[in-house]
């Protein structure tokens, strides 16, 4: 299957690009240095409608397509990856679980503010001992007198401790199945609930302007009605959530690659050595050519996967395309930032140049929303291989 962006998509891309260049680009270097999460800009992204692109109109959304969301993530990520992941996680991990699995009462309670960008939500899946092996979740939730009592810890949770975080959806053991395996369910925990603590933000290698915290739960009590979806279906719910997220992360990687190409081309035409622009040197020009190939291939894989989602393709077909796009685009982004840094030479090692920030930001793309190893496993299984 191929994709083709409509004139409306192209106009939307220009709108988001203009916003990113005006509202984010002039400030991001300082935000990165200060590890500052710009709530005011998040709210402006909400005013532009970016958080509600795929949400129904009844909750304040645009009822648009998944491709538009990927375009927005790409264009924000082209200027800054921190704000790109803020948008990606806010929709894919914050809004989507509630929109997809929530009751009407839960949707009415949480979605209007999330869709408008007045609030953010996190998705508490990863734990200190449960990353790719999410089935090893140790966080527990016991139903006592009509309330879930949650105890445990989560880590690396985006949008979970900001001043506008309204809730975090967490996976927890709620019992045991007949086969002895853990019954995992998903529960909405409002911010400010006694016993729920967003611990101090991480000191990260990259994504300095995004909000990321470890979370702890100590006898944290929430109403029984805060169960999201069916009891015992938490594992299946998060798997479905991650498929969308993998394509969105691929779009973020495309934005990173586009930034690297733009910056490299500009510098290669301006920087002079031996009396000529360095872009005349084959050793460097060929590396930038490789960067263009990776960008074009990554973009094609990403938007083909998005088109599958929008066309209603089968879950298995979309899962396979999502894993391929995520694997190739994110690994290309890591390679692309290395190329761009090499083009800039010693200046690429200096924080005053954006390539240094993109270099730091890129690595986590191969980890978040499923590692490269997990993507290869999913692709192999999609090919019929009995890989473990």
């Amino acid at each position: 299957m191929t994709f083709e962006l409509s004139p409306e998509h192209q106009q939307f891309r220009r709108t988001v690009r203009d916003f990113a260049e005006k509202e984010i680009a002039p400030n991001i270097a300082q935000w990165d240095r200060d590890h500052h999460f710009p709530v005011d800009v998040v709210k402006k992204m909400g005013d532009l409608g970016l958080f509600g692109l795929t949400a129904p109109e009844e909750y304040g959304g645009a009822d648009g397509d998944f491709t538009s969301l990927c375009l927005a993530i790409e264009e924000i990520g082209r200027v800054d990856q921190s704000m790109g992941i803020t948008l990606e996680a806010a929709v894919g991990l914050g809004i989507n679980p509630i929109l997809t699995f929530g009751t009407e009462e839960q949707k009415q309670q949480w979605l209007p503010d999330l869709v408008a960008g007045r609030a953010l939500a996190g998705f508490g899946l990863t734990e200190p001992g449960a990353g790719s092996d999410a089935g090893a979740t140790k966080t527990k939730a016991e139903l006592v007198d009509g309330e879930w009592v949650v105890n445990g810890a989560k880590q690396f949770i985006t949008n979970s401790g900001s001043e506008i975080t309204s809730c975090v959806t967490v996976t927890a053991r709620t019992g045991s199945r007949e086969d002895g395996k853990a019954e995992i369910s998903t529960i909405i925990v409002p911010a400010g609930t006694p016993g729920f603590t967003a611990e101090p933000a991480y000191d990260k290698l990259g994504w300095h302007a995004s909000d990321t915290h470890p979370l702890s739960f100590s006898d944290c009590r929430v109403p029984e009605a805060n169960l999201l979806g069916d009891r015992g279906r938490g594992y299946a719910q998060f798997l479905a959530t991650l498929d969308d997220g993998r394509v969105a992360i691929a779009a973020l990687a495309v934005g990173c690659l586009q930034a690297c190409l733009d910056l490299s081309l500009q510098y290669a035409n301006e920087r002079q050595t031996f009396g000529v622009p360095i872009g005349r040197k084959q050793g460097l020009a060929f590396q930038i050519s490789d960067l263009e190939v990776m960008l074009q291939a990554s973009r094609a894989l990403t938007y083909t996967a998005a088109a599958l989602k929008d066309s209603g393709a089968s879950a298995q077909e979309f899962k396979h395309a999502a894993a391929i796009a995520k694997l190739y685009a994110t690994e290309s982004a890591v390679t692309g930032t290395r190329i761009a840094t090499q083009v800039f030479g010693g200046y690429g090692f200096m924080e005053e140049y954006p390539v240094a920030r993109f270099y730091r930001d890129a690595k986590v793309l191969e980890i978040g929303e499923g590692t490269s190893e997990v993507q290869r496993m999913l692709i192999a299984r999609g090919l019929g291989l009995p890989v473990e």
Side-chain angles (χ1 to χ4, degrees):
M1 181 176 180
T2 59
F3 76 93
E4 182 177 356
L5 296 179
S6 68
E8 291 76 18
H9 282 136
Q10 297 288 8
Q11 178 57 48
F12 177 68
R13 178 193 288 278
R14 289 189 289 270
T15 298
V16 179
R17 179 173 296 187
D18 182 65
F19 171 86
E21 290 178 346
K22 289 181 178 178
E23 299 291 343
I24 299 176
N27 306 299
I28 187 53
Q30 189 64 49
W31 296 338
D32 182 77
R33 284 191 293 270
D34 295 342
H35 292 222
H36 171 67
F37 181 63
V39 171
D40 57 332
V41 170
V42 173
K43 292 180 178 179
K44 289 180 180 179
M45 289 164 63
D47 293 339
L48 191 61
L50 301 188
F51 296 104
L53 287 169
T54 59
E57 293 180 2
E58 61 190 291
Y59 306 115
D63 203 17
D65 58 13
F66 185 59
T67 296
S68 294
L69 175 61
C70 290
L71 285 169
I73 293 169
E74 178 192 336
E75 288 301 324
I76 297 295
R78 175 177 166 267
V79 170
D80 176 53
Q81 294 279 289
S82 288
M83 288 294 94
I85 193 59
T86 298
L87 173 59
E88 188 278 332
V91 178
L93 301 177
I95 291 173
N96 280 358
I98 298 173
L99 179 61
T100 304
F101 305 108
T103 64
E104 186 56 36
E105 290 76 15
Q106 290 169 340
K107 294 176 184 178
Q108 292 290 349
Q109 178 180 359
W110 300 109
L111 289 182
D113 283 343
L114 296 174
V115 166
R118 294 187 294 266
L120 294 171
F123 188 78
L125 170 65
T126 303
E127 297 185 1
S132 297
D133 181 14
T137 293
K138 292 184 178 179
T139 296
K140 295 182 178 180
E142 183 181 3
L143 193 57
V144 179
D145 298 329
E147 292 182 316
W148 292 106
V149 183
V150 184
N151 285 280
K154 301 291 180 178
Q155 67 178 9
F156 311 144
I157 311 303
T158 304
N159 296 340
S160 61
S162 76
E163 64 184 70
I164 59 172
T165 297
S166 62
C167 66
V168 175
T169 301
V170 300
T171 53
R173 291 174 174 246
T174 52
S176 298
R177 299 184 181 278
E178 293 181 359
D179 60 5
K181 294 183 178 180
E183 174 191 81
I184 298 178
S185 303
T186 314
I187 298 169
I188 301 173
V189 181
T193 301
F196 168 32
T197 303
E199 305 291 348
Y202 290 104
D203 186 11
K204 298 171 291 188
L205 171 67
W207 286 0
H208 288 169
S210 73
D211 179 76
T212 319
H213 297 260
L215 309 177
S216 62
F217 303 88
S218 179
D219 290 333
C220 175
R221 292 175 173 266
V222 299
E224 182 177 1
N226 281 29
L227 179 73
L228 183 64
D230 296 329
R231 179 169 177 167
R233 294 290 296 167
Y235 194 80
Q237 289 171 197
F238 93 74
L239 285 177
T241 297
L242 288 181
D243 285 338
D244 284 14
R246 284 164 181 156
V247 181
I249 287 287
L252 185 58
V254 172
C256 180
L257 284 163
Q258 184 68 65
C260 287
L261 180 63
D262 294 343
L263 293 166
S264 295
L265 286 172
Q266 180 180 1
Y267 191 76
N269 281 311
E270 294 175 352
R271 171 69 169 162
Q272 299 271 329
T273 60
F274 305 103
V276 297
I278 60 175
R280 288 189 63 177
K281 307 301 181 180
Q282 287 187 4
L284 185 140
F286 288 0
Q287 290 189 70
I288 297 177
S289 297
D290 290 342
L291 183 53
E292 165 73 354
V293 173
M294 288 186 288
L295 170 62
Q296 294 290 349
S298 296
R299 181 172 280 133
L301 289 171
T302 299
Y303 287 101
T304 295
L308 285 171
K309 170 75 174 179
D310 287 331
S311 67
S314 70
Q316 186 56 45
E317 186 179 10
F318 176 60
K319 178 185 291 290
H320 194 67
I324 292 172
K326 204 273 184 183
L327 175 65
Y328 185 83
T330 58
E331 292 198 344
S332 294
V334 172
T335 301
T337 58
R338 179 184 58 77
I339 290 173
T341 303
Q342 191 72 14
V343 168
F344 275 72
Y347 291 111
F349 200 62
M350 302 299 143
E351 288 290 349
E352 64 183 287
Y353 288 86
V355 290
R357 171 165 47 86
F358 282 106
Y359 188 80
R360 288 187 285 102
D361 287 342
K363 179 55 190 173
V364 73
L365 296 171
E366 296 180 315
I367 299 171
E369 301 271 18
T371 64
S372 290
E373 292 77 12
V374 167
Q375 305 316 308
R376 287 185 166 89
M377 179 183 68
L378 293 173
I379 293 166
R381 288 176 178 174
L383 294 171
L385 296 171
V387 65
E388 295 183 353

